[in-house]
């Protein structure tokens, strides 16, 4: 880890998301933030919130204030005689990575999904409630990440896939690895399955629910068990069972 602590800061736009050491340096050197939203009641005549790097909304005796926690505490301390009451909300502390700005993402993202910055989401993908996507992960077009599934750092998931509810696609940031988890196109991962670091699931494969995948999965095979093993080739019956619904996408 010494090579991380001695390295220079890497500009955000030059960040190599496939390099775990660069990601670790980025997280180490980034400004940690505790954003807040506060409700203030008091006498705020001639008080300049912007001088504390705070943004206020409202007028008169009631204000909604947004900014950094330490800036707000300084404001409250300096203006305590003018403040009658206040309430502070925050959802993180010393966070190194913001959430992804999803406003322009051409995908369906449901409430409660947690998606960190530097995640790539393809067109018409679906991210369901409670899903977690970590930094550097890639979600292909038309792929669904179902409820409470976890996609770890740097994991790569192809097009037209389905990652079932509660499944875990392990991240490869710590300990560092040169090989991320790779799921190729047209793959179905069953509910509560776990894919360990470095695993590759080839095109068209099916991972049964509850399986723990420790080795690569060949193309168009069905694997199941703990650890997962090939139980058969994907046949017409299996194809029908794992068919994705286009009406759920777009």
């Amino acid at each position: 880890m010494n090579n991380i602590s001695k390295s220079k800061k890497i500009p955000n736009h030059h960040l190599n998301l496939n390099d775990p050491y660069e990601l670790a340096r980025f997280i180490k050197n980034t400004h940690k933030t505790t954003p807040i939203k506060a409700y203030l009641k008091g006498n705020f005549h001639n008080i300049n919130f912007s001088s504390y790097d705070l943004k206020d909304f409202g007028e008169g005796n009631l204000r909604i204030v947004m900014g950094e926690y330490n800036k707000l505490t300084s404001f409250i301390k300096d203006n305590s005689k003018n403040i009658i009451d206040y309430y502070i909300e925050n959802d993180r502390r010393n966070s190194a990575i913001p959430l992804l700005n999803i406003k322009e993402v051409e995908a369906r993202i449901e409430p409660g999904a947690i998606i960190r910055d530097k995640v790539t989401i393809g067109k018409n993908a679906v991210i369901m409630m409670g899903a977690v996507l970590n930094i550097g992960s890639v979600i292909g077009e038309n792929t669904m990440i179902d409820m409470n599934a976890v996609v770890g750092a740097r994991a790569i998931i192809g097009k037209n896939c389905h990652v079932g509810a509660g499944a875990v696609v392990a991240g490869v940031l710590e300990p560092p690895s040169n090989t991320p988890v790779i799921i190729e196109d047209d793959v179905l991962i069953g509910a509560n399955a776990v894919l360990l670091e470095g695993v590759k699931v080839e095109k068209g494969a099916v991972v049964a629910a509850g399986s723990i995948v420790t080795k690569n999965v060949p193309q168009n095979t069905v694997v199941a068990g703990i650890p997962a093993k090939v139980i058969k080739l994907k046949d017409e019956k299996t194809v029908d069972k794992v068919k994705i619904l286009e009406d759920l996408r777009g």
Side-chain angles (χ1 to χ4, degrees):
M1 297 297 289
N2 289 337
N3 59 331
I4 294 176
S5 60
K6 294 179 182 178
S7 298
K8 295 180 180 179
K9 184 175 181 179
I10 298 173
N12 194 0
H13 58 281
H14 291 150
L15 186 64
N16 180 1
L17 297 175
N18 290 321
D19 188 331
Y21 292 100
E22 284 198 19
L23 283 176
R25 287 194 295 270
F26 170 71
I27 292 170
K28 176 180 184 295
N29 291 315
T30 192
H31 173 69
K32 309 304 186 293
T33 180
T34 306
I36 58 87
K37 179 180 181 181
Y39 305 84
L40 277 66
K41 180 192 297 184
N43 179 12
F44 303 117
H45 183 66
N46 292 330
I47 290 180
N48 185 2
F49 286 88
S50 63
S51 65
Y52 291 85
D53 292 327
L54 298 171
K55 182 173 287 190
D56 72 297
F57 300 88
E59 58 185 19
N61 294 338
L62 297 175
R63 304 294 175 94
I64 298 174
V65 179
M66 296 182 182
E68 279 294 312
Y69 177 70
N70 63 332
K71 301 290 186 179
L72 179 67
T73 54
S74 295
F75 174 85
I76 291 173
K77 181 179 178 181
D78 294 344
N79 298 277
S80 59
K81 63 181 181 181
N82 296 315
I83 297 174
I84 298 171
D85 199 3
Y86 63 88
Y87 177 78
I88 302 172
E89 293 180 351
N90 72 293
D91 63 357
R92 70 203 76 181
R93 175 65 175 164
N94 292 327
S95 178
I97 304 170
L99 299 181
L100 180 70
N101 182 355
I102 62 174
K103 295 183 182 67
E104 303 298 327
V105 176
E106 294 186 73
R108 177 159 66 88
I109 301 175
E110 296 295 346
I114 299 175
I115 305 172
R116 301 184 89 180
D117 198 19
K118 310 305 175 191
V119 169
T120 301
I121 302 176
K123 187 175 181 179
N124 293 332
V126 179
I127 315 299
M128 294 295 287
M129 297 82 71
V132 177
L133 310 183
N134 206 353
I135 184 171
S137 58
V138 177
I139 310 300
E141 295 180 8
N142 290 310
T143 285
M144 177 181 287
I145 310 299
D146 216 331
M147 293 181 292
N148 299 318
V150 176
V151 179
R154 301 173 56 227
I156 299 172
I157 301 177
K159 300 176 182 179
N160 303 312
C161 296
H162 184 110
V163 177
V168 176
V169 180
V172 280
L173 183 55
E174 185 181 62
S177 168
N178 290 327
T179 306
V181 176
I182 298 174
I183 298 174
E184 295 186 344
D185 297 347
D186 306 312
V187 167
L188 183 134
I189 308 297
N192 297 313
V194 176
L195 279 65
L196 299 185
E197 291 86 347
V199 160
K200 182 177 183 179
V201 182
E202 295 184 359
K203 180 178 173 64
V206 176
V207 176
S211 299
I212 297 181
V213 182
T214 60
K215 296 180 180 180
N216 292 348
V217 178
Q219 181 173 336
N220 289 321
T221 59
V222 179
V223 300
I226 303 175
K229 297 180 180 179
V230 175
I231 59 172
K232 66 177 183 177
L233 295 176
K234 192 165 72 171
D235 53 24
E236 291 185 7
K237 184 177 180 179
T238 304
V239 170
D240 186 61
K241 283 185 176 180
V242 301
K243 183 186 299 183
I244 67 172
L245 299 177
E246 292 295 336
D247 286 347
L248 293 178
R249 290 146 173 86

